[in-house]
Amino acid sequence: MAFQSKCTFQIGDAVEVCYNSEGFLGSYWEATIVANMGTNYLVEYKHFVEEHDESTPLRETVKVKEVRPLPPNIVPSRYSSLKGQRVDAFLNDVWWVGTISRKIDSDYYVVFFENTGEEIACPLSKLRFHMNWVNEQWVPSMKKRAPVSSKRFAPYSLKGRREQLSAL
């Protein structure tokens, strides 16, 4: 999921970091540039804090190629045909890349995450169309048919799931 970033970001710029370590492949973390160190940036994450001091935002040194500007937040319409569309889903304070596999109702869609093989019901308000940062431009992701998963979302738990998701 790494990409080439030719942009030079300034201190204070809002960015996303493509986090590719195990368990986080295909995730984008919102951050702010704290320092430009040539081939690396020091970033401060928007939604995460230091383990030893929860009042201190988490800071980390990341490679320049793992940083991109914030993408346009193009929210899918409840009236759109979204099956097979690549989206980013905001779950646990991180944007995760997935593919819409089906619609539950006008406000909830099931998103398949290729990296984990899981499907999760997501409210439309927590989805945005996936965009790729290519040659300093935002390019819409191509539609892709969702593969079949062995870990299907169970529709019978929708009522409880909505209550859990409304907290997101």
Side-chain angles (χ1 to χ4, degrees):
M1 286 283 169
F3 39 82
Q4 295 298 326
S5 180
K6 295 180 183 179
C7 289
T8 301
F9 296 105
Q10 305 299 316
I11 294 172
D13 285 351
V15 296
E16 283 187 345
V17 177
C18 179
Y19 209 80
N20 281 322
S21 60
E22 189 174 331
F24 295 99
L25 187 63
S27 66
Y28 294 88
W29 300 37
E30 295 178 21
T32 302
I33 299 293
V34 175
N36 182 339
M37 304 179 315
T39 58
N40 296 313
Y41 288 111
L42 178 63
V43 298
E44 182 175 285
Y45 292 107
K46 181 177 180 179
H47 300 288
F48 298 97
V49 294
E50 290 287 346
E51 190 174 328
H52 64 277
D53 180 3
E54 292 185 9
S55 67
T56 303
L58 178 63
R59 289 185 172 194
E60 184 176 53
T61 301
V62 296
K63 296 176 183 170
V64 167
K65 68 180 182 177
E66 296 173 334
V67 179
R68 69 182 193 174
L70 293 179
N73 192 13
I74 304 171
V75 179
S77 164
R78 66 174 45 168
Y79 305 107
S80 301
S81 173
L82 298 175
K83 186 173 181 177
Q85 182 69 50
R86 298 283 286 166
V87 293
D88 298 330
F90 195 69
L91 302 167
N92 299 321
D93 297 321
V94 176
W95 290 102
W96 298 88
V97 179
T99 305
I100 292 180
S101 59
R102 67 183 176 277
K103 179 178 180 175
I104 295 173
D105 61 29
S106 63
D107 293 319
Y108 282 83
Y109 291 81
V110 176
V111 179
F112 177 75
F113 298 95
E114 291 86 1
N115 294 327
T116 63
E118 295 177 286
E119 284 189 313
I120 299 175
C122 298
L124 191 60
S125 63
K126 299 290 182 181
L127 299 177
R128 69 181 185 196
F129 286 113
H130 182 70
M131 303 283 284
N132 295 312
W133 182 243
V134 180
N135 297 324
E136 298 187 52
Q137 293 183 42
W138 287 110
V139 179
S141 183
M142 301 300 290
K143 275 193 171 185
K144 180 180 174 185
R145 188 165 190 253
V148 176
S149 166
S150 60
K151 297 179 183 177
R152 291 276 182 197
F153 167 74
Y156 64 83
S157 62
L158 179 59
K159 183 176 180 184
R161 174 76 69 174
R162 278 202 180 148
E163 291 164 1
Q164 291 172 343
L165 291 174
S166 67
L168 294 178

